[in-house]
Amino acid sequence: MEFRTFPTMSYLLPTYANFPLTAVRGEGARLWDSEGKSYLDFCAGIATCSIGHCHPALAKAISDQASTLMHCSNLYQVPQQKELARVLVEDFTQIPGKVFFANSGAEANDGMIKTARRFGHAKPNGKGEPRYEVITFNSSFHGRTLGSMAATAQKKVHQGFDPMLPGFRYVPLNDLDAIKAAISDITAGIMLEPIQGEGGVNSATAEFLQGVAELCDEHDLLLMLDEIQCGLGRTGTLMGWQSIYPDLKPDTISWAKGLGGGFPIGAFYVSDRAIDEDETPLSSLMNAGSHGSTYGGNPLACTAALVVLAEIQSSNLCANANHQEKRIREEVTSWNHPAIDSIRGKGLLLGFALNTDNLEYPDGAMPAGHLCKTLMAEGLLTVPAGPETLRWLPPLNVTDDEVGEALRILKNTLDSLSIKMNTAH
Ligand code: PLP
């Protein structure tokens, strides 16, 4: 397609401070820009292109479905939606429950938050008042809608949008005492990313997840997981929490990003567990008329997601994520590099915590952003996670050679930006 050459940003709201790169083509972990320059893509749409760019099976399935039926409405039966829900519940979550399909992560989280409110109405407090408050964690990121933004415990996300939707309480991650102090007779749930992505690649500990589950049991609260960035193979297990504490039994889970491999789709799961002595399933609270989406779960999006999930399973991409993590950790650790303090995360959701005292970056610039920019010039796309963490999120089928090339580029770039290295030379 030819584009007329108006000034490119003129008609777009400037909500993204984006890089001057125009991507025109992708294949696997590789991306090409409009100048013909090739990049290794370790950003992958921020954990979205889970099976690589333009995977032939995904492209073909989308093309075939697009010429058969794209959309028909949830007023009718959608077999692709039923099958996708079955795969997510039986093969991936492996805990009985039901799924609702949306179009993005923020929407999926809104649905999950609505589920907590329904639960709080169904199980009111001792005074007969509905419970509605959800405890979330500092540095979390849950999205940009009014609900998911209020769930996000980051001031910079809220700035200028007050008043926030009421019903959220923020506490530090991995601090069970802070949760205990925050629980009150209006609390309905605890919502967290098992590994925070945007907030800096911060992992919950196994003890913490176990403690959260116990507090949810004790106080009759929903355990709500946002697996939008860390789920579906990204951390080397099918579910993100399984890479930390496999015994966890969440009540609700949200997915998006990697689920569609680049095709927009979001989803949330609600467990079938009984919430009372009458054996009322939690999932039954989201009954007819309680929620909806015009586009959510359309045949095209569900077909795409079915291919992605089949590929994650049949090509054992969890094993590849673990293999590549091990290799990356071993090699980066062996550098003992003055600009890297530690490596956080699991599988292919990895954060390199930068020692910014040993890194050169322009005054006023964000260190991780400057490093990303420099890596981009060298042909490696990455993404910051906060000001001092460099994040790698390559496709789950990234190869040994591609990881080797990315490691070479990272090492050379860090050497060139490292103060200690440069003064030692
Ligand atoms: N939750 C998490 C953990 C995310 O990382 C994101 C996006 O970065 C979202 C929710 C929001 O997803 P979306 O941008 O699809 O609305």
Side-chain angles (χ1 to χ4, degrees), residues 16 43-51 103-106 108 141 193 197-198 226-232 234 254-267 305 308 383 391 393:
Y16 278 91
C43 166
I46 320 185
T48 295
C49 307
S50 45
I51 61 170
N103 310 285
S104 70
F141 185 79
E193 300 156 82
E198 301 307 302
D226 177 340
E227 293 246 333
I228 287 164
Q229 187 158 155
C230 70
L232 305 175
R234 174 65 44 198
S254 56
W255 299 290
K257 287 192 179 277
L259 176 59
F263 199 93
I265 183 168
V308 172
V383 62
R391 191 169 21 154
L393 304 153

Side-chain angles (χ1 to χ4, degrees), residues 22-43:
T22 305
V24 293
R25 186 163 74 83
E27 192 181 318
R30 212 158 267 286
L31 204 64
W32 285 267
D33 73 9
S34 49
E35 313 287 303
K37 182 175 158 90
S38 139
Y39 301 84
L40 260 182
D41 188 2
F42 276 41
C43 166

Side-chain angles (χ1 to χ4, degrees), residues 48-71:
T48 295
C49 307
S50 45
I51 61 170
H53 293 289
C54 304
H55 189 288
L58 180 56
K60 180 170 186 326
I62 291 172
S63 162
D64 289 351
Q65 186 62 46
S67 49
T68 307
L69 181 68
M70 284 192 225
H71 181 77

Side-chain angles (χ1 to χ4, degrees), residues 361-425:
Y361 55 93
D363 276 352
M366 183 176 85
H370 181 67
L371 177 57
C372 283
K373 228 186 207 164
T374 316
L375 289 168
M376 190 173 96
E378 297 304 320
L380 176 62
L381 301 182
T382 57
V383 62
E388 301 191 343
T389 304
L390 175 79
R391 191 169 21 154
W392 274 13
L393 304 153
L396 301 179
N397 51 8
V398 66
T399 65
D400 288 353
D401 284 351
E402 288 160 346
V403 168
E405 188 182 335
L407 285 166
R408 267 194 308 281
I409 297 174
L410 179 62
K411 169 87 165 58
N412 291 340
T413 305
L414 284 173
D415 286 355
S416 72
L417 291 178
S418 166
I419 290 167
K420 281 205 178 140
M421 287 265 173
N422 292 340
T423 45
H425 285 166

